[in-house]
Amino acid sequence: MKVVKLRIYPTQKQEVALAKAFGCCRLVWNRSWQLTTEAYRQTGKGISGMELKKMLPQWKRELEWLGDPYSQCVASFGTQPIESLRQLL
């Protein structure tokens, strides 16, 4: 197996876009984690990934800037807290 190290140097515009994307993903992950753990504490069951994905359009209406990055990036972070919770339990 051959390993290749690569370093990229984004432009200022690309750095801003990456920072926005990471910030949006972090917000979605944090909200999803909060809802999942809160539901688990109250009911003993978490929230399904589909339920969290259904909440994403509402969050985008509340926070317009949440729709700026690619939707696939943001949506994929919505289901990760579920997997994290499963691994903890």
Side-chain angles (χ1 to χ4, degrees), residues 29 33 36-37 79-89:
W29 196 95
W33 177 258
T36 302
T37 54
T79 58
Q80 288 183 352
I82 297 167
E83 293 303 316
S84 299
L85 188 61
R86 282 187 191 143
Q87 289 175 4
L88 283 174
L89 304 174

Side-chain angles (χ1 to χ4, degrees), residues 18-62:
L18 286 170
K20 284 182 181 180
F22 293 145
C24 290
C25 291
R26 184 176 63 234
L27 176 103
V28 169
W29 196 95
N30 287 338
R31 278 191 174 190
S32 298
W33 177 258
Q34 179 185 8
L35 290 171
T36 302
T37 54
E38 189 175 305
Y40 183 79
R41 283 188 198 123
Q42 292 175 358
T43 65
K45 296 180 181 178
I47 297 176
S48 72
M50 186 56 77
E51 289 179 60
L52 288 171
K53 284 186 179 184
K54 287 180 183 177
M55 293 178 193
L56 194 55
Q58 176 62 34
W59 296 346
K60 286 183 178 182
R61 284 191 291 275
E62 292 171 9

